[in-house]
Amino acid sequence: MARRFWVETLGCPKNQVDSDKLTGTLLGDGLVPADAPDAADLVVVNTCAFIEEARQESIDTILGLADRVGDRAELVVTGCMAERYGDELAAELPEVQAVVGFGVPVHLGPTRTRERPRLDLLNLPRPAPRAPWAYVKVAEGCDRACGFCAIPSFRGPQRSRSVPAILGEVETLVEGGVREVVLVAQDLAAYGRDQGQGERRIVPLVEAVAGRVDRVRLLYLYPSDLTDTLVRAIGSTGVPYFDLSLQHVSRPLLRRMRRWGDGERFLRRIDAIRGQLPEATFRSSFIVGYPGETERDHDQLLAFVEAAQLDWVGFFAYSREDGTYAADLDGAVPPEMVHERLAELRELQDPITAARRDRLIGSVVEVLVDEPGVGRSHREAPEIDGIVNIPATLPAGELAKVRIVAAAGPDLDAECV
Ligand code: SF4
């Protein structure tokens, strides 16, 4: 009987892509998916090491699965925790049979002792898509050195995939029924810089992907790389969705974060894009409580949030990460102050998001039906933003025009037109 496997995924969309590729490899090796971890012979936990909370969740998941499967299954830990704390994990978790980072020989085959080739995870095949949308990872690693971020230290410098490899994956996904491709990378707009082909390879890539699939969406754009040509390219895809990685708006604090820009520049850019693309939707995320964040910095962020009227915003408490530049900075912000600032920001943003959703009532939008009853227009990224509740009669995978009739917080209700 074929060996059965279970893959448990934690963390961000980029991890989900890795898990899909691991699944594709396991299927290619002749394993079959199990219905539950208890029924598997091989259990893989794809971990997240982004912040302390994510690491704890990863450890809890590993221990929970170890309890659940006992000696009946081989337990393998991979992903960011394995890359960042591989030796410690292997030493401290005897329940785990193997800890494997990506880009090393991965022992996930029918027997653990069999030598397997070095796997290039970025270019592994993936299984048939489960939804009419899919993430496609175009690069791994990052060449920047943002003060708070440990990713470059364990994911390494940026390694972009070749255009033919990406387009090949997009074509296979489209054949499998995918109508929206979400391009992801740690620093998406820097795609291709490491290939020696010069800057801005992202623009022809976006155009080429847009020529093969109905929708292409870009996640994680560093603001200095949002050039006019990239804005035009995004506009011409029909999905004017801008996920800007801003992190803060105070110039001195951004410099302490070793990042580019300031609130005024960001506002000018956002206004210009709105002038060019009235349907543009903006998402961003901000770190609250970075070492040295003053009351003045916080006030600037509040003023920016009010002025920018972004559609979707995530506010996150700063998390001190070993080995980062910020880990040794002075000026730690007391946790209770961080919570107060977070609450104040969220209180300000929530009605802005709701008002921007309310404004859509009465309009006709095109949605991609993710599953019966659930759709998304260009304004909603999958798994991150709100949704559009649609009539259940619309079949999954269809692009349909619907009229928005109500809004409830981040979600909208729509009827067929
Ligand atoms: S651009 Fe993103 S991944 Fe790269 S160092 Fe900065 S925060 Fe980390």
Side-chain angles (χ1 to χ4, degrees), residues 12-13 16 131-136 178-184 215-220 239 241 243 283 312 368 370-371 374-388:
C12 67
Q16 185 57 56
W133 63 270
Y135 295 116
V136 171
V178 163
R179 305 198 71 175
E180 175 174 330
V181 161
V182 185
L183 300 181
V184 293
R215 279 186 182 177
V216 50
R217 187 185 299 274
L218 283 71
L219 293 188
Y220 318 119
V239 183
Y241 182 95
D243 177 23
R283 160 169 278 284
W312 309 107
L368 173 61
D370 281 349
E371 58 183 90
V374 178
R376 285 178 303 103
S377 72
H378 79 271
R379 292 187 175 84
E380 300 91 25
E383 296 182 329
I384 302 173
D385 303 329
I387 56 163
V388 185

Side-chain angles (χ1 to χ4, degrees), residues 43 47 54 106 138 183 210 217 227 267-268 287 295 316 323 334 373 395 405:
V43 174
T47 55
V106 178
V138 303
L183 300 181
R217 187 185 299 274
T227 58
L267 277 181
R268 276 204 303 272
I287 291 177
E295 209 48 40
F316 301 95
V405 292

Side-chain angles (χ1 to χ4, degrees), residues 317-393:
Y318 165 72
S319 163
R320 184 189 172 282
E321 296 298 315
D322 284 341
T324 57
Y325 168 78
D328 299 323
L329 285 180
D330 53 12
V333 182
E336 52 290 358
M337 187 171 285
V338 175
H339 287 132
E340 263 175 43
R341 289 179 181 173
L342 279 170
E344 206 177 348
L345 286 159
R346 288 177 181 145
E347 221 168 279
L348 177 62
Q349 178 61 38
D350 285 353
I352 294 174
T353 294
R356 294 194 68 79
R357 302 299 271 168
D358 285 347
R359 279 182 12 181
L360 298 169
I361 295 173
S363 65
V364 172
V365 299
E366 184 182 73
V367 291
L368 173 61
V369 183
D370 281 349
E371 58 183 90
V374 178
R376 285 178 303 103
S377 72
H378 79 271
R379 292 187 175 84
E380 300 91 25
E383 296 182 329
I384 302 173
D385 303 329
I387 56 163
V388 185
N389 295 304
I390 52 174
T393 45

Side-chain angles (χ1 to χ4, degrees), residues 62-378:
I62 296 166
L63 294 176
L65 284 167
D67 261 0
R68 209 167 146 183
V69 302
D71 293 337
R72 295 187 306 280
E74 183 180 358
L75 186 58
V76 175
V77 173
T78 188
C80 294
M81 285 281 281
E83 285 184 23
R84 197 167 167 195
Y85 304 105
D87 293 344
E88 290 96 315
L89 281 181
E92 285 169 26
L93 295 175
E95 302 86 343
V96 172
Q97 274 80 45
V99 178
V100 286
F102 296 138
V104 299
V106 178
H107 301 279
L108 296 179
T111 69
R112 207 157 62 78
T113 48
R114 200 179 108 201
E115 260 313 297
R116 296 187 52 74
R118 194 177 172 83
L119 292 180
D120 172 6
L121 199 65
L122 272 174
N123 289 312
L124 285 176
R126 54 198 292 174
R130 292 174 301 257
W133 63 270
Y135 295 116
V136 171
K137 201 194 261 192
V138 303
E140 183 56 273
C142 180
D143 290 334
R144 298 192 195 272
C146 301
F148 49 82
C149 182
I151 288 175
S153 71
F154 61 93
R155 287 269 162 161
Q158 179 173 268
R159 298 167 313 279
S160 298
R161 296 174 68 189
S162 72
V163 173
I166 296 167
L167 296 182
E169 185 170 327
V170 168
E171 282 163 8
T172 308
L173 288 166
V174 169
E175 279 161 25
V178 163
R179 305 198 71 175
E180 175 174 330
V181 161
V182 185
L183 300 181
V184 293
Q186 258 87 32
D187 184 5
L188 183 59
Y191 166 77
R193 256 180 217 165
D194 52 300
Q195 294 175 334
Q197 298 171 14
E199 313 256 319
R200 318 291 177 232
R201 300 306 298 162
I202 185 68
V203 172
L205 178 72
V206 169
E207 289 165 351
V209 174
R212 286 165 171 79
V213 65
D214 296 296
R215 279 186 182 177
V216 50
R217 187 185 299 274
L218 283 71
L219 293 188
Y220 318 119
L221 296 170
Y222 194 88
S224 61
D225 284 337
L226 193 60
T227 58
D228 289 344
T229 39
L230 181 54
V231 171
R232 274 198 299 277
I234 293 174
S236 66
T237 65
V239 183
Y241 182 95
F242 295 86
D243 177 23
L244 304 180
S245 168
L246 299 182
Q247 308 307 344
H248 213 283
V249 298
S250 151
R251 173 181 266 266
L253 197 69
L254 279 166
R255 295 304 167 274
R256 244 169 111 81
M257 288 182 169
R258 299 163 121 191
R259 288 180 64 93
W260 176 92
D262 57 57
E264 261 179 45
R265 282 183 184 220
F266 299 158
L267 277 181
R268 276 204 303 272
R269 203 78 193 99
I270 290 164
D271 282 351
I273 295 172
R274 282 190 173 131
Q276 215 175 317
L277 302 165
E279 297 286 292
T281 299
F282 291 89
R283 160 169 278 284
S284 191
S285 57
F286 297 95
I287 291 177
V288 177
Y290 186 80
E293 186 191 54
T294 61
E295 209 48 40
R296 191 178 140 83
D297 296 327
H298 174 61
D299 287 345
Q300 282 186 28
L301 183 51
L302 286 166
F304 176 88
V305 166
E306 179 68 50
Q309 299 282 305
L310 302 178
D311 301 85
W312 309 107
V313 183
F315 299 104
F316 301 95
Y318 165 72
S319 163
R320 184 189 172 282
E321 296 298 315
D322 284 341
T324 57
Y325 168 78
D328 299 323
L329 285 180
D330 53 12
V333 182
E336 52 290 358
M337 187 171 285
V338 175
H339 287 132
E340 263 175 43
R341 289 179 181 173
L342 279 170
E344 206 177 348
L345 286 159
R346 288 177 181 145
E347 221 168 279
L348 177 62
Q349 178 61 38
D350 285 353
I352 294 174
T353 294
R356 294 194 68 79
R357 302 299 271 168
D358 285 347
R359 279 182 12 181
L360 298 169
I361 295 173
S363 65
V364 172
V365 299
E366 184 182 73
V367 291
L368 173 61
V369 183
D370 281 349
E371 58 183 90
V374 178
R376 285 178 303 103
S377 72
H378 79 271

